[in-house]
Structure formats: C-alpha cells, structure tokens
Amino acid sequence: MKAVLESLAARIGSSEILTFAKFLVLSVVVLPVLPNQDFGRFHINPFKTWLVVVAISAISYASYVLQKLAKGQGGILLAALLGGA
C-alpha cells in the first residue's frame, strides 16, 4: 500500500493535492457544521447556500481533473459538456 501511495504522490503535484484538500474542507468539514434552518426575513438557509457552493466547486474541480486527464485530447470539450450539464 505504501508503494502505491508513493507512486501516486510522485505523479500528482503538490498544488493538485492542496486543491483537493481544500475541496474536502469545503464539503466534509464546513458543510456538516452549518445549521440547516432558515434565518431572517428572507429565509436564508446557510446549509443550502453552502451546498450550492460545494456543488459548483465540484463541477469546477471535475472539469479541471478532466482537462488534466485528457491532456490536450478534447479536455476542453469534456469540461464544456460537464459545465453545460
């Protein structure tokens, strides 16, 4: 298992690991802590608002990963299709 993780870390750059860690913090740490109830006159729900942030971040991150995996072989087209979906 250690050899597999070391080879994966060698293929993936440190900035990409940091980006993934930030996404995990957005979705796994912050989201469950927020209250799931409406506040104020406009009925703003922090949980649902942050859920939208996580969804948009997931789409953005997925398109980034597709571009990296495709490496100039239609990655932009795949990202456009994912963004349009």
Side-chain angles (χ1 to χ4, degrees):
M1 183 81 171
K2 181 181 176 184
V4 172
L5 290 176
E6 286 178 349
S7 67
L8 182 65
R11 288 185 292 169
I12 299 173
S14 61
S15 65
E16 293 171 350
I17 292 173
L18 183 62
T19 303
F20 182 69
K22 287 178 185 178
F23 176 71
L24 284 179
V25 167
L26 276 175
S27 57
V28 176
V29 175
V30 175
L31 188 63
V33 175
L34 293 173
N36 191 7
Q37 62 184 6
D38 294 337
F39 288 103
R41 198 172 100 206
F42 298 108
H43 304 288
I44 296 174
N45 187 327
F47 182 82
K48 290 180 182 178
T49 304
W50 199 255
L51 190 60
V52 171
V53 170
V54 169
I56 292 171
S57 298
I59 291 171
S60 175
Y61 188 70
S63 68
Y64 171 76
V65 169
L66 281 175
Q67 287 178 8
K68 285 292 188 177
L69 290 176
K71 294 183 182 175
Q73 301 170 355
I76 294 176
L77 179 62
L78 289 172
L81 290 173
L82 181 64

